[in-house]
Amino acid sequence: MLQGEGVRAVRFEPALFGLPPEAPKWGDFADRLGMAGILITASWGGLGGTYDLACRYLTRWRQAAVLLLDMNWSQWRSLMLLMDDFPFLHTELSNFQANRAVETLAARFGAQRVCFGSGMPYRAAGAARAFIDWARVSPTERALMAGGNLARLLGRSGVGPVNRKSRPSLVAPRSPKPTDALVRALSS
């Protein structure tokens, strides 16, 4: 049904609506989404905001790929434990800007489980972009995190090519020299 409409992802916020993890048919629904290749996204708060509640939800969703949103550095230990316990779990980095978090996540779980997140329009995208651009990871890992993983999770073939000659603002920040222009919005 959803695939016929082009739906590639759904967002569940069950705890925000008081739906308990043990609700009847909840796990069956998530399994059907997973078997159909539909990504489940959920925020930390939407899963109850505690390690215990998040585990109870994720235990029901073992057939689906899940992208956990909005974790921040203060939930570092919870994220590590969840990623250890649930190999289908992925995370995005819009709010998880901790020292060497990109490198730690890539080394411990593989770059294929980490996705770029900008936090826009609530946050400036520049810090999130720099978090990936300047991470000490291979170019292949960086490409996965910068868009390749999300494309894969959404069943897409990949991220389209960027014409760097027409967008010098994409090259300058990674250059070893200071930039000679003011930083502009990514849409320029």
mmCIF file with all atom_site columns, all heavy atoms in Angstrom, residues 28-45:
data_model
loop_
_atom_site.group_PDB
_atom_site.id
_atom_site.type_symbol
_atom_site.label_atom_id
_atom_site.label_alt_id
_atom_site.label_comp_id
_atom_site.label_asym_id
_atom_site.label_entity_id
_atom_site.label_seq_id
_atom_site.pdbx_PDB_ins_code
_atom_site.Cartn_x
_atom_site.Cartn_y
_atom_site.Cartn_z
_atom_site.occupancy
_atom_site.B_iso_or_equiv
_atom_site.pdbx_formal_charge
_atom_site.auth_seq_id
_atom_site.auth_comp_id
_atom_site.auth_asym_id
_atom_site.auth_atom_id
_atom_site.pdbx_PDB_model_num
ATOM 1   N N   . ASP A 1 28 ? 4.015  -6.377 14.555 1.00 0.00 ? 28 ASP A N   1
ATOM 2   C CA  . ASP A 1 28 ? 3.643  -6.897 13.234 1.00 0.00 ? 28 ASP A CA  1
ATOM 3   C C   . ASP A 1 28 ? 3.673  -5.789 12.184 1.00 0.00 ? 28 ASP A C   1
ATOM 4   O O   . ASP A 1 28 ? 4.139  -5.987 11.065 1.00 0.00 ? 28 ASP A O   1
ATOM 5   C CB  . ASP A 1 28 ? 2.245  -7.521 13.270 1.00 0.00 ? 28 ASP A CB  1
ATOM 6   C CG  . ASP A 1 28 ? 2.173  -8.756 14.142 1.00 0.00 ? 28 ASP A CG  1
ATOM 7   O OD1 . ASP A 1 28 ? 3.235  -9.346 14.439 1.00 0.00 ? 28 ASP A OD1 1
ATOM 8   O OD2 . ASP A 1 28 ? 1.054  -9.131 14.529 1.00 0.00 ? 28 ASP A OD2 1
ATOM 9   N N   . PHE A 1 29 ? 3.159  -4.632 12.553 1.00 0.00 ? 29 PHE A N   1
ATOM 10  C CA  . PHE A 1 29 ? 3.136  -3.495 11.626 1.00 0.00 ? 29 PHE A CA  1
ATOM 11  C C   . PHE A 1 29 ? 4.562  -3.083 11.254 1.00 0.00 ? 29 PHE A C   1
ATOM 12  O O   . PHE A 1 29 ? 4.886  -2.885 10.085 1.00 0.00 ? 29 PHE A O   1
ATOM 13  C CB  . PHE A 1 29 ? 2.367  -2.337 12.237 1.00 0.00 ? 29 PHE A CB  1
ATOM 14  C CG  . PHE A 1 29 ? 2.290  -1.128 11.357 1.00 0.00 ? 29 PHE A CG  1
ATOM 15  C CD1 . PHE A 1 29 ? 1.700  -1.189 10.111 1.00 0.00 ? 29 PHE A CD1 1
ATOM 16  C CD2 . PHE A 1 29 ? 2.811  0.085  11.782 1.00 0.00 ? 29 PHE A CD2 1
ATOM 17  C CE1 . PHE A 1 29 ? 1.626  -0.073 9.291  1.00 0.00 ? 29 PHE A CE1 1
ATOM 18  C CE2 . PHE A 1 29 ? 2.737  1.205  10.977 1.00 0.00 ? 29 PHE A CE2 1
ATOM 19  C CZ  . PHE A 1 29 ? 2.150  1.128  9.728  1.00 0.00 ? 29 PHE A CZ  1
ATOM 20  N N   . ALA A 1 30 ? 5.425  -2.977 12.241 1.00 0.00 ? 30 ALA A N   1
ATOM 21  C CA  . ALA A 1 30 ? 6.819  -2.606 11.990 1.00 0.00 ? 30 ALA A CA  1
ATOM 22  C C   . ALA A 1 30 ? 7.510  -3.668 11.134 1.00 0.00 ? 30 ALA A C   1
ATOM 23  O O   . ALA A 1 30 ? 8.285  -3.336 10.235 1.00 0.00 ? 30 ALA A O   1
ATOM 24  C CB  . ALA A 1 30 ? 7.557  -2.409 13.308 1.00 0.00 ? 30 ALA A CB  1
ATOM 25  N N   . ASP A 1 31 ? 7.232  -4.941 11.400 1.00 0.00 ? 31 ASP A N   1
ATOM 26  C CA  . ASP A 1 31 ? 7.820  -6.013 10.588 1.00 0.00 ? 31 ASP A CA  1
ATOM 27  C C   . ASP A 1 31 ? 7.397  -5.900 9.127  1.00 0.00 ? 31 ASP A C   1
ATOM 28  O O   . ASP A 1 31 ? 8.205  -6.077 8.223  1.00 0.00 ? 31 ASP A O   1
ATOM 29  C CB  . ASP A 1 31 ? 7.415  -7.387 11.123 1.00 0.00 ? 31 ASP A CB  1
ATOM 30  C CG  . ASP A 1 31 ? 8.180  -7.768 12.381 1.00 0.00 ? 31 ASP A CG  1
ATOM 31  O OD1 . ASP A 1 31 ? 9.192  -7.111 12.702 1.00 0.00 ? 31 ASP A OD1 1
ATOM 32  O OD2 . ASP A 1 31 ? 7.756  -8.737 13.043 1.00 0.00 ? 31 ASP A OD2 1
ATOM 33  N N   . ARG A 1 32 ? 6.126  -5.611 8.897  1.00 0.00 ? 32 ARG A N   1
ATOM 34  C CA  . ARG A 1 32 ? 5.648  -5.473 7.521  1.00 0.00 ? 32 ARG A CA  1
ATOM 35  C C   . ARG A 1 32 ? 6.315  -4.289 6.824  1.00 0.00 ? 32 ARG A C   1
ATOM 36  O O   . ARG A 1 32 ? 6.649  -4.368 5.641  1.00 0.00 ? 32 ARG A O   1
ATOM 37  C CB  . ARG A 1 32 ? 4.132  -5.329 7.484  1.00 0.00 ? 32 ARG A CB  1
ATOM 38  C CG  . ARG A 1 32 ? 3.447  -6.693 7.612  1.00 0.00 ? 32 ARG A CG  1
ATOM 39  C CD  . ARG A 1 32 ? 1.973  -6.561 7.487  1.00 0.00 ? 32 ARG A CD  1
ATOM 40  N NE  . ARG A 1 32 ? 1.530  -6.193 8.840  1.00 0.00 ? 32 ARG A NE  1
ATOM 41  C CZ  . ARG A 1 32 ? 0.373  -5.667 9.139  1.00 0.00 ? 32 ARG A CZ  1
ATOM 42  N NH1 . ARG A 1 32 ? -0.494 -5.412 8.202  1.00 0.00 ? 32 ARG A NH1 1
ATOM 43  N NH2 . ARG A 1 32 ? 0.058  -5.389 10.373 1.00 0.00 ? 32 ARG A NH2 1
ATOM 44  N N   . LEU A 1 33 ? 6.503  -3.204 7.544  1.00 0.00 ? 33 LEU A N   1
ATOM 45  C CA  . LEU A 1 33 ? 7.225  -2.064 6.962  1.00 0.00 ? 33 LEU A CA  1
ATOM 46  C C   . LEU A 1 33 ? 8.650  -2.465 6.593  1.00 0.00 ? 33 LEU A C   1
ATOM 47  O O   . LEU A 1 33 ? 9.136  -2.137 5.510  1.00 0.00 ? 33 LEU A O   1
ATOM 48  C CB  . LEU A 1 33 ? 7.248  -0.888 7.936  1.00 0.00 ? 33 LEU A CB  1
ATOM 49  C CG  . LEU A 1 33 ? 5.930  -0.169 8.182  1.00 0.00 ? 33 LEU A CG  1
ATOM 50  C CD1 . LEU A 1 33 ? 6.087  0.833  9.305  1.00 0.00 ? 33 LEU A CD1 1
ATOM 51  C CD2 . LEU A 1 33 ? 5.422  0.499  6.921  1.00 0.00 ? 33 LEU A CD2 1
ATOM 52  N N   . GLY A 1 34 ? 9.316  -3.173 7.514  1.00 0.00 ? 34 GLY A N   1
ATOM 53  C CA  . GLY A 1 34 ? 10.676 -3.602 7.257  1.00 0.00 ? 34 GLY A CA  1
ATOM 54  C C   . GLY A 1 34 ? 10.775 -4.524 6.058  1.00 0.00 ? 34 GLY A C   1
ATOM 55  O O   . GLY A 1 34 ? 11.670 -4.385 5.221  1.00 0.00 ? 34 GLY A O   1
ATOM 56  N N   . MET A 1 35 ? 9.876  -5.481 5.960  1.00 0.00 ? 35 MET A N   1
ATOM 57  C CA  . MET A 1 35 ? 9.900  -6.408 4.830  1.00 0.00 ? 35 MET A CA  1
ATOM 58  C C   . MET A 1 35 ? 9.614  -5.695 3.512  1.00 0.00 ? 35 MET A C   1
ATOM 59  O O   . MET A 1 35 ? 10.070 -6.128 2.459  1.00 0.00 ? 35 MET A O   1
ATOM 60  C CB  . MET A 1 35 ? 8.916  -7.550 5.065  1.00 0.00 ? 35 MET A CB  1
ATOM 61  C CG  . MET A 1 35 ? 9.408  -8.508 6.154  1.00 0.00 ? 35 MET A CG  1
ATOM 62  S SD  . MET A 1 35 ? 8.349  -9.935 6.362  1.00 0.00 ? 35 MET A SD  1
ATOM 63  C CE  . MET A 1 35 ? 7.108  -9.272 7.471  1.00 0.00 ? 35 MET A CE  1
ATOM 64  N N   . ALA A 1 36 ? 8.882  -4.592 3.576  1.00 0.00 ? 36 ALA A N   1
ATOM 65  C CA  . ALA A 1 36 ? 8.602  -3.796 2.381  1.00 0.00 ? 36 ALA A CA  1
ATOM 66  C C   . ALA A 1 36 ? 9.742  -2.826 2.071  1.00 0.00 ? 36 ALA A C   1
ATOM 67  O O   . ALA A 1 36 ? 9.684  -2.105 1.075  1.00 0.00 ? 36 ALA A O   1
ATOM 68  C CB  . ALA A 1 36 ? 7.294  -3.028 2.564  1.00 0.00 ? 36 ALA A CB  1
ATOM 69  N N   . GLY A 1 37 ? 10.761 -2.782 2.913  1.00 0.00 ? 37 GLY A N   1
ATOM 70  C CA  . GLY A 1 37 ? 11.891 -1.890 2.691  1.00 0.00 ? 37 GLY A CA  1
ATOM 71  C C   . GLY A 1 37 ? 11.614 -0.443 3.042  1.00 0.00 ? 37 GLY A C   1
ATOM 72  O O   . GLY A 1 37 ? 12.274 0.461  2.540  1.00 0.00 ? 37 GLY A O   1
ATOM 73  N N   . ILE A 1 38 ? 10.658 -0.209 3.919  1.00 0.00 ? 38 ILE A N   1
ATOM 74  C CA  . ILE A 1 38 ? 10.320 1.161  4.331  1.00 0.00 ? 38 ILE A CA  1
ATOM 75  C C   . ILE A 1 38 ? 11.055 1.492  5.623  1.00 0.00 ? 38 ILE A C   1
ATOM 76  O O   . ILE A 1 38 ? 10.974 0.758  6.604  1.00 0.00 ? 38 ILE A O   1
ATOM 77  C CB  . ILE A 1 38 ? 8.797  1.323  4.483  1.00 0.00 ? 38 ILE A CB  1
ATOM 78  C CG1 . ILE A 1 38 ? 8.140  1.139  3.102  1.00 0.00 ? 38 ILE A CG1 1
ATOM 79  C CG2 . ILE A 1 38 ? 8.448  2.676  5.085  1.00 0.00 ? 38 ILE A CG2 1
ATOM 80  C CD1 . ILE A 1 38 ? 6.642  1.148  3.121  1.00 0.00 ? 38 ILE A CD1 1
ATOM 81  N N   . LEU A 1 39 ? 11.792 2.572  5.606  1.00 0.00 ? 39 LEU A N   1
ATOM 82  C CA  . LEU A 1 39 ? 12.581 3.017  6.746  1.00 0.00 ? 39 LEU A CA  1
ATOM 83  C C   . LEU A 1 39 ? 11.680 3.585  7.832  1.00 0.00 ? 39 LEU A C   1
ATOM 84  O O   . LEU A 1 39 ? 10.760 4.356  7.550  1.00 0.00 ? 39 LEU A O   1
ATOM 85  C CB  . LEU A 1 39 ? 13.571 4.093  6.279  1.00 0.00 ? 39 LEU A CB  1
ATOM 86  C CG  . LEU A 1 39 ? 14.396 4.812  7.331  1.00 0.00 ? 39 LEU A CG  1
ATOM 87  C CD1 . LEU A 1 39 ? 15.378 3.847  8.000  1.00 0.00 ? 39 LEU A CD1 1
ATOM 88  C CD2 . LEU A 1 39 ? 15.141 5.988  6.703  1.00 0.00 ? 39 LEU A CD2 1
ATOM 89  N N   . ILE A 1 40 ? 11.952 3.206  9.076  1.00 0.00 ? 40 ILE A N   1
ATOM 90  C CA  . ILE A 1 40 ? 11.269 3.800  10.225 1.00 0.00 ? 40 ILE A CA  1
ATOM 91  C C   . ILE A 1 40 ? 12.207 4.844  10.828 1.00 0.00 ? 40 ILE A C   1
ATOM 92  O O   . ILE A 1 40 ? 13.362 4.551  11.117 1.00 0.00 ? 40 ILE A O   1
ATOM 93  C CB  . ILE A 1 40 ? 10.914 2.751  11.291 1.00 0.00 ? 40 ILE A CB  1
ATOM 94  C CG1 . ILE A 1 40 ? 9.881  1.759  10.747 1.00 0.00 ? 40 ILE A CG1 1
ATOM 95  C CG2 . ILE A 1 40 ? 10.396 3.419  12.567 1.00 0.00 ? 40 ILE A CG2 1
ATOM 96  C CD1 . ILE A 1 40 ? 9.575  0.607  11.691 1.00 0.00 ? 40 ILE A CD1 1
ATOM 97  N N   . THR A 1 41 ? 11.716 6.060  10.991 1.00 0.00 ? 41 THR A N   1
ATOM 98  C CA  . THR A 1 41 ? 12.477 7.085  11.705 1.00 0.00 ? 41 THR A CA  1
ATOM 99  C C   . THR A 1 41 ? 11.742 7.387  13.001 1.00 0.00 ? 41 THR A C   1
ATOM 100 O O   . THR A 1 41 ? 10.512 7.354  13.041 1.00 0.00 ? 41 THR A O   1
ATOM 101 C CB  . THR A 1 41 ? 12.648 8.375  10.874 1.00 0.00 ? 41 THR A CB  1
ATOM 102 O OG1 . THR A 1 41 ? 11.381 8.999  10.685 1.00 0.00 ? 41 THR A OG1 1
ATOM 103 C CG2 . THR A 1 41 ? 13.279 8.082  9.527  1.00 0.00 ? 41 THR A CG2 1
ATOM 104 N N   . ALA A 1 42 ? 12.498 7.648  14.033 1.00 0.00 ? 42 ALA A N   1
ATOM 105 C CA  . ALA A 1 42 ? 11.911 7.952  15.343 1.00 0.00 ? 42 ALA A CA  1
ATOM 106 C C   . ALA A 1 42 ? 12.880 8.830  16.116 1.00 0.00 ? 42 ALA A C   1
ATOM 107 O O   . ALA A 1 42 ? 14.089 8.628  16.057 1.00 0.00 ? 42 ALA A O   1
ATOM 108 C CB  . ALA A 1 42 ? 11.634 6.670  16.118 1.00 0.00 ? 42 ALA A CB  1
ATOM 109 N N   . SER A 1 43 ? 12.345 9.792  16.837 1.00 0.00 ? 43 SER A N   1
ATOM 110 C CA  . SER A 1 43 ? 13.196 10.638 17.663 1.00 0.00 ? 43 SER A CA  1
ATOM 111 C C   . SER A 1 43 ? 13.411 9.982  19.024 1.00 0.00 ? 43 SER A C   1
ATOM 112 O O   . SER A 1 43 ? 12.625 9.126  19.451 1.00 0.00 ? 43 SER A O   1
ATOM 113 C CB  . SER A 1 43 ? 12.568 12.021 17.847 1.00 0.00 ? 43 SER A CB  1
ATOM 114 O OG  . SER A 1 43 ? 11.435 11.943 18.685 1.00 0.00 ? 43 SER A OG  1
ATOM 115 N N   . TRP A 1 44 ? 14.450 10.407 19.686 1.00 0.00 ? 44 TRP A N   1
ATOM 116 C CA  . TRP A 1 44 ? 14.740 9.926  21.036 1.00 0.00 ? 44 TRP A CA  1
ATOM 117 C C   . TRP A 1 44 ? 13.547 10.199 21.950 1.00 0.00 ? 44 TRP A C   1
ATOM 118 O O   . TRP A 1 44 ? 13.090 9.320  22.670 1.00 0.00 ? 44 TRP A O   1
ATOM 119 C CB  . TRP A 1 44 ? 16.015 10.596 21.533 1.00 0.00 ? 44 TRP A CB  1
ATOM 120 C CG  . TRP A 1 44 ? 16.416 10.285 22.935 1.00 0.00 ? 44 TRP A CG  1
ATOM 121 C CD1 . TRP A 1 44 ? 16.514 11.180 23.963 1.00 0.00 ? 44 TRP A CD1 1
ATOM 122 C CD2 . TRP A 1 44 ? 16.801 9.016  23.471 1.00 0.00 ? 44 TRP A CD2 1
ATOM 123 N NE1 . TRP A 1 44 ? 16.939 10.545 25.103 1.00 0.00 ? 44 TRP A NE1 1
ATOM 124 C CE2 . TRP A 1 44 ? 17.126 9.202  24.826 1.00 0.00 ? 44 TRP A CE2 1
ATOM 125 C CE3 . TRP A 1 44 ? 16.906 7.735  22.937 1.00 0.00 ? 44 TRP A CE3 1
ATOM 126 C CZ2 . TRP A 1 44 ? 17.538 8.181  25.662 1.00 0.00 ? 44 TRP A CZ2 1
ATOM 127 C CZ3 . TRP A 1 44 ? 17.318 6.705  23.774 1.00 0.00 ? 44 TRP A CZ3 1
ATOM 128 C CH2 . TRP A 1 44 ? 17.625 6.933  25.115 1.00 0.00 ? 44 TRP A CH2 1
ATOM 129 N N   . GLY A 1 45 ? 13.010 11.405 21.904 1.00 0.00 ? 45 GLY A N   1
ATOM 130 C CA  . GLY A 1 45 ? 11.844 11.739 22.719 1.00 0.00 ? 45 GLY A CA  1
ATOM 131 C C   . GLY A 1 45 ? 10.613 10.934 22.319 1.00 0.00 ? 45 GLY A C   1
ATOM 132 O O   . GLY A 1 45 ? 9.812  10.552 23.165 1.00 0.00 ? 45 GLY A O   1
#
